[in-house]
């Protein structure tokens, strides 16, 4: 069973309108977790949504003292950048006609 995704657009008047993402859409979904970043490319051009690229890149946890955990912003950013690049490259391997410029949404 397919699902309908909705895109919210804001106009100058300050009102928001929602419209369904059309069937030929490709989106990049990002999940920022506590220990890693995941990027997923989903293609909605067929009768069912299909994941055509996915990557998870972990980043280290830093424990300065007992009961504490810290993260380095640069390590998080680099893991997000790497996961996104790897997911887009995986999508290109699955679908030779995939073009990142066709992404309808990132979020």
């Amino acid at each position: 069973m397919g699902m309908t995704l909705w895109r919210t657009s804001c106009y100058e008047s300050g009102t928001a309108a929602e419209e369904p993402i059309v069937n030929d859409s490709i989106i990049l979904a990002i999940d920022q977790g506590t220990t890693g970043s995941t990027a997923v490319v989903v293609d909605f051009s067929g009768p069912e949504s299909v994941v055509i690229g996915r990557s998870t890149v972990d980043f280290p946890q830093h424990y300065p003292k007992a009961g504490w955990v810290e993260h380095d912003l640069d390590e998080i950013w680099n893991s997000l950048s790497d996961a996104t690049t790897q997911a887009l490259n995986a999508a290109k391997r699955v679908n030779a006609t995939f073009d990142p410029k066709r992404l309808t949404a990132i979020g």
Side-chain angles (χ1 to χ4, degrees), residues 1-2 6-7 20 22 26 33-34 39 61 65-66 70-71 84-86 89 92-94 97 99:
M1 176 185 286
W6 295 84
R7 167 179 39 225
V22 294
I26 298 176
T34 304
Q61 314 301 296
K65 60 183 178 178
E70 293 180 352
H71 296 105
T84 300
T85 299
Q86 291 171 18
N89 287 337
K92 289 177 191 174
R93 286 191 298 275
V94 169
T97 64
D99 180 357

Side-chain angles (χ1 to χ4, degrees), residues 19-46:
E19 58 189 61
I21 293 179
V22 294
N23 288 342
D24 64 347
S25 297
I26 298 176
I27 66 166
L28 172 64
I30 297 170
D31 175 53
Q32 186 57 63
T34 304
T35 62
S37 305
T38 300
V40 182
V41 181
V42 185
D43 185 347
F44 290 91
S45 63

